[in-house]
Amino acid sequence: SRHLLADHDQFESLLHLFHFNKLHRVVGCGSRHLLAALDAMSTMRGLWRSKFVQYGIPMVLLTVGASLGLQELAAFRIESREEKSRVLSVEEIDRLTNRKRKEFCMGDEFERLRAHMNIDDWENKRVPRPGESTKDL
């Protein structure tokens, strides 16, 4: 483990030296700026290796995003269900069907039905009870 750590440190220092030479050739600025850039790069590399950055932040973002998405989906579902089950008024039905309604009067309806039936001539007929046949009547 100690041997691997020493090899890792040597690898890191060689990597820093490589980046230093590469940046120095590209940027052409002083060593102070290059060291700051290398320090920032190593800090970012160290942050990326963190388990929280690799797994925690994406999980939190996924959870929050899914929660917000489901909230919007549920609101849309409720609105569409309310739209379907909304009770229409008589005026809205008439407007949608382009139909004119007649006024309803109970007395007029009674007179119309009485004209078709004879309510003075009737006979009481017994209906069979459950389990009785029509022959027993």
Side-chain angles (χ1 to χ4, degrees):
S1 152
R2 180 177 290 201
H3 184 264
L4 288 176
L5 185 60
D7 287 343
H8 186 267
D9 290 340
Q10 287 175 354
F11 176 74
E12 286 287 327
S13 62
L14 285 175
L15 189 62
H16 282 292
L17 185 61
F18 172 73
H19 284 298
F20 178 76
N21 288 335
K22 185 176 171 185
L23 283 175
H24 185 29
R25 275 186 273 132
V26 171
V27 177
C29 58
S31 63
R32 189 181 81 200
H33 297 292
L34 290 175
L35 289 176
L38 284 175
D39 188 41
M41 285 177 23
S42 67
T43 303
M44 291 302 289
R45 191 178 309 120
L47 280 176
W48 181 247
R49 288 182 183 156
S50 167
K51 296 280 187 195
F52 178 72
V53 172
Q54 283 185 343
Y55 301 110
I57 291 176
M59 184 64 182
V60 168
L61 289 176
L62 181 69
T63 305
V64 170
S67 172
L68 294 174
L70 285 175
Q71 182 180 4
E72 290 298 319
L73 185 66
F76 174 73
R77 184 174 156 228
I78 289 170
E79 288 173 7
S80 64
R81 185 173 289 171
E82 286 175 356
E83 183 75 23
K84 285 181 185 177
S85 65
R86 186 172 61 96
V87 177
L88 297 176
S89 67
V90 174
E91 292 82 19
E92 289 174 326
I93 292 173
D94 289 340
R95 184 174 41 86
L96 291 173
T97 58
N98 294 328
R99 184 178 64 180
K100 294 184 179 182
R101 296 178 59 87
K102 294 190 299 184
E103 290 295 322
F104 181 78
C105 180
M106 193 64 121
D108 293 340
E109 189 67 21
F110 177 72
E111 293 299 326
R112 187 182 70 79
L113 290 175
R114 193 164 89 176
H116 294 293
M117 289 189 246
N118 184 5
I119 61 170
D120 295 328
D121 186 27
W122 59 275
E123 181 182 335
N124 191 12
K125 293 186 179 179
R126 185 169 174 256
V127 177
R129 294 189 178 120
E132 283 185 343
S133 67
T134 55
K135 295 177 184 176
D136 297 339
L137 298 176

